[in-house]
């Protein structure tokens, strides 16, 4: 009745990794041609850094943590 149960259970992490990797590749593949030009590279990096800083400061303020 439970033949191959653990084999089936151990397939799920591999499936999860495959799905996440495919999601990242399909998300960032269109950005690769834009990264070849220095102006767009700086703009995209600036956008990501500013988004990360904004998210960090917002979460710190919402959670009442001390400022940087």
């Amino acid at each position: 009745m439970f033949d191959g149960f653990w084999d089936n259970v151990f397939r799920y992490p591999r499936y999860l990794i495959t799905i996440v990797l495919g999601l990242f590749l399909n998300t960032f593949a269109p950005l690769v041609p834009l990264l070849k030009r220095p102006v767009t590279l700086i703009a995209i990096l600036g956008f990501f850094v500013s988004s990360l800083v904004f998210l960090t400061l917002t979460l710190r303020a919402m959670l009442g943590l001390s400022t940087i």
Side-chain angles (χ1 to χ4, degrees):
M1 183 173 162
F2 291 108
D3 294 339
F5 173 75
W6 289 111
D7 291 332
N8 192 23
V9 168
F10 289 131
R11 288 181 190 167
Y12 284 106
R14 185 174 56 183
Y15 176 72
L16 177 68
I17 290 170
T18 303
I19 293 297
V20 170
L21 185 62
L23 180 70
F24 281 125
L25 287 175
N26 284 320
T27 301
F28 294 115
L31 296 177
V32 171
L34 295 175
L35 298 178
K36 292 180 181 178
R37 294 181 33 203
V39 175
T40 55
L41 175 65
I42 292 170
I44 291 174
L45 286 177
F47 176 73
F48 283 129
V49 169
S50 63
S51 297
L52 182 64
V53 169
F54 176 75
L55 182 65
T56 302
L57 293 176
T58 303
L59 288 176
R60 284 184 172 269
M62 288 175 66
L63 296 173
L65 300 173
S66 63
T67 57
I68 296 176

